[in-house]
Amino acid sequence: MQTSLPVAERPRRPEWMKVRAPSREGKYWDVRKLLHGASLVTVCEEARCPNIGECWGRGTATFQILGDTCTRACRYCYVTSGKPEHPPDALEPLRLAQAAATMGLSHVVVTSVDRDDLPDRGAGHFAATIRALKAKLPDSHVEVLTPDFLGVEEESLRTVIGARPEVFNHNIETVRRLHRRMRGAKASYEGALSLLRRAKEIADYPVLTKSGIIVGLGETNDEVVDTMRDLRANGVDVVTIGQYLQPSSHHAKIDRWVHPDEFRWMREQGEALGFGSVFAGPLVRSSYRADEQRHAAETGRGAVAY
């Protein structure tokens, strides 16, 4: 197994991290025009996802609700942090559902910024969005990637799960040793595990639970496996593992370029732990090919590497 490459002072991406520019032959420009015309935000743009060309070219996108300003400042995240200027847009769920219908989506992924300024941390807006999607696209699957709902976890979980999303996702992001350093004092490794466990316990239907891990922040491969073990112990069905990319010089530095062989090894470890689906690869992100992740877990296809 080839191992990680060291990162120089000005890191250059290895060949396996390079992506193609958007093609004019796909749906990229149509998706861009639709989303911008509907005043919808996507994490694809906000987090500078390297897969935007591929995903938008396939006619998919990950919607980001509750604005473009996050009340947290995680050291690895490019999303703007600060004090949100506006309350949730009450019409956003309807515009989002209409856009998803226009795109013909059968699996819709909805995430958000953290909104610690809201009493319910945005849970009600998530629920309204899920309901709007199910009304507009009754045969579609809805996946939510939520914040931690700090301080009102139980009430907010009941609100979101009550709208019956097919997939509940909350990213643990990194290993226990690095969690507080990378995510800040408000976030909690144990809290993330508890949120995922309680989501499944609260649901009165077979919800899939999911979480994601970023590598290249200073963790070891064995620590990644320990984190996967913790996730499985709390009932998580699907895990994603992908390479960290430093958004700017103000963010945490890349510790290493994780080799594709190591991602395959992590995938094998996750499969051995019993995950329904493991998506591991340099360019994998939490919502990357999310429809395939769900299908793999539901059909027993198992681990997948990209």
Side-chain angles (χ1 to χ4, degrees):
M1 181 177 71
Q2 293 195 50
T3 56
S4 304
L5 297 181
V7 173
E9 193 64 30
R10 295 186 64 186
R12 295 182 61 183
R13 298 188 185 190
E15 286 299 316
W16 63 77
M17 287 302 305
K18 294 180 179 178
V19 296
R20 293 181 179 180
S23 170
R24 293 197 174 273
E25 297 177 0
K27 300 177 181 178
Y28 178 91
W29 300 105
D30 293 335
V31 169
R32 186 176 187 274
K33 182 179 179 180
L34 173 66
L35 297 174
H36 289 187
S39 299
L40 294 171
V41 179
T42 67
V43 75
C44 319
E45 291 183 295
E46 295 300 306
R48 299 181 66 178
C49 179
N51 300 315
I52 188 171
E54 177 188 346
C55 294
W56 285 22
R58 293 173 60 228
T60 65
T62 298
F63 298 99
Q64 178 179 299
I65 60 175
L66 294 167
D68 60 4
T69 303
C70 185
T71 53
R72 306 284 177 90
C74 299
R75 294 187 60 205
Y76 50 80
C77 184
Y78 192 73
V79 174
T80 301
S81 62
K83 183 178 180 179
E85 296 181 0
H86 306 290
D89 179 352
L91 296 180
E92 182 177 53
L94 300 179
R95 295 200 310 276
L96 191 156
Q98 180 59 57
T102 302
M103 295 165 70
L105 298 180
S106 60
H107 186 101
V108 188
V109 184
V110 180
T111 187
S112 78
V113 290
D114 275 276
R115 290 296 302 261
D116 294 320
D117 59 313
L118 300 176
D120 69 349
R121 311 297 186 257
H125 202 68
F126 264 104
T129 303
I130 297 167
R131 289 193 295 268
L133 283 166
K134 289 184 174 293
K136 194 72 175 179
L137 293 164
D139 296 326
S140 69
H141 295 83
V142 180
E143 174 176 331
V144 292
L145 169 54
T146 77
D148 59 14
F149 302 128
L150 182 65
V152 291
E153 294 89 346
E154 190 75 8
E155 180 182 352
S156 293
L157 267 179
R158 291 188 182 279
T159 298
V160 173
I161 296 298
R164 302 178 73 85
E166 280 73 22
V167 182
F168 178 86
N169 184 358
H170 176 68
N171 286 338
I172 199 158
E173 306 289 14
T174 189
V175 301
R176 186 188 298 271
R177 176 174 57 85
L178 299 176
H179 202 268
R180 185 180 180 88
R181 187 193 315 171
M182 292 298 167
R183 300 213 60 200
K186 288 185 177 180
S188 163
Y189 184 90
E190 292 296 339
L193 294 174
S194 175
L195 196 77
L196 289 158
R197 183 183 68 252
R198 287 296 295 149
K200 183 160 284 190
E201 291 171 348
I202 287 170
D204 60 357
Y205 65 100
V207 65
L208 277 176
T209 52
K210 174 179 169 183
S211 193
I213 304 170
I214 306 167
V215 292
L217 286 170
E219 75 295 321
T220 67
N221 289 346
D222 286 341
E223 285 179 309
V224 173
V225 175
D226 287 341
T227 300
M228 285 195 284
R229 188 174 289 113
D230 288 339
L231 292 171
R232 276 302 296 143
N234 285 274
V236 173
D237 303 296
V238 178
V239 66
T240 60
I241 310 172
Q243 171 73 53
Y244 167 62
L245 292 173
Q246 184 179 359
S248 77
S249 60
H250 302 293
H251 291 80
K253 292 183 177 180
I254 302 175
D255 174 70
R256 57 178 176 147
W257 295 113
V258 179
H259 194 275
D261 283 355
E262 294 174 281
F263 280 111
R264 282 189 285 270
W265 178 83
M266 292 174 193
R267 176 199 68 193
E268 291 166 358
Q269 301 306 306
E271 188 173 42
L273 287 169
F275 284 100
S277 174
V278 182
F279 267 47
L283 294 170
V284 167
R285 296 297 182 264
S286 184
S287 55
Y288 180 65
R289 295 182 178 265
D291 54 340
E292 295 181 25
Q293 294 175 25
R294 189 203 78 248
H295 182 70
E298 290 177 342
T299 61
R301 179 183 170 197
V304 180
Y306 281 98

